[in-house]
Amino acid sequence: LLAMAATLPVAAEGWFTSSYTGLGYIDEDGLDDDAFASNFSGGYAWNDHWGVEAGFAGFNEFEDSISSTQGQIDTRFDLSGWTLGVNAFVPMENRWYVTARAGVFFWDGDLEVSGPGTPLNVSVNEDGTDFYVGAGIGYQWFRRWSAGLGITYYGVDAGDFDSGVTIVGLQTSYRF
């Protein structure tokens, strides 16, 4: 049992977890808001610089209101999805690093538009496949744990709604 336990850290070499937590921003006609957002992923790095990742991105509800001559129109958008992509880790001097990531975003969104009068009450559930791309800069605090600031853009193209959501926030990573 001791011999098996001693080999576990070696067997986990190359695996990592990563997360972005911060504010998600969206700017589309009739919907301009920010909300708490987070992305958690796990992956495997086949060397010190390149790896693959799979994860989940979740956003709190985006809400906006605009005034019209007929009254106030309210818009709500709920978005979440799975990610699958590649990432790069580039160490710099004095334990600093930069990261980059890109891949496919499999999303599901619920859009509600309501206003005065029945014709304006609309509820749409849409899903799709788009891309994501991100970058970050950070500091490797310990041999296996690092933290920094990152930004990731998630494309969302659903009919007339052709926009995306950007997460800006704290990025953390742990390498096994």
Side-chain angles (χ1 to χ4, degrees), residues 26 45 60 67 75 115 128-129 137 139 144 156 164:
I26 193 166
N60 276 1
S67 295
T75 306
T129 303
I137 186 166
Y139 188 78
R144 299 188 182 273
V156 178

Side-chain angles (χ1 to χ4, degrees), residues 52-65:
V52 293
E53 64 182 18
F56 182 80
F59 304 88
N60 276 1
E61 197 169 78
F62 295 101
E63 298 178 323
D64 201 2
S65 297

Side-chain angles (χ1 to χ4, degrees), residues 21 35 41 52 69 80 88 98 100 102 110 116 119-120 130-131 137-138 149 157:
T21 302
S41 60
V52 293
T69 56
S80 63
V98 293
D110 295 316
L120 288 177
D130 284 290
F131 71 97
I137 186 166
L149 296 176
D157 183 7

Side-chain angles (χ1 to χ4, degrees), residues 83-84 101-107 128-134 152-157 162-165:
T83 60
L84 180 62
R101 56 198 301 253
V104 181
F105 180 43
F106 306 95
W107 57 268
T129 303
D130 284 290
F131 71 97
Y132 73 93
V133 62
T152 302
Y153 176 84
Y154 299 87
V156 178
D157 183 7
D162 184 10
S163 185
V165 179

Side-chain angles (χ1 to χ4, degrees), residues 121-132:
N121 294 331
V122 178
S123 180
V124 177
N125 182 309
E126 188 88 30
D127 59 13
T129 303
D130 284 290
F131 71 97
Y132 73 93

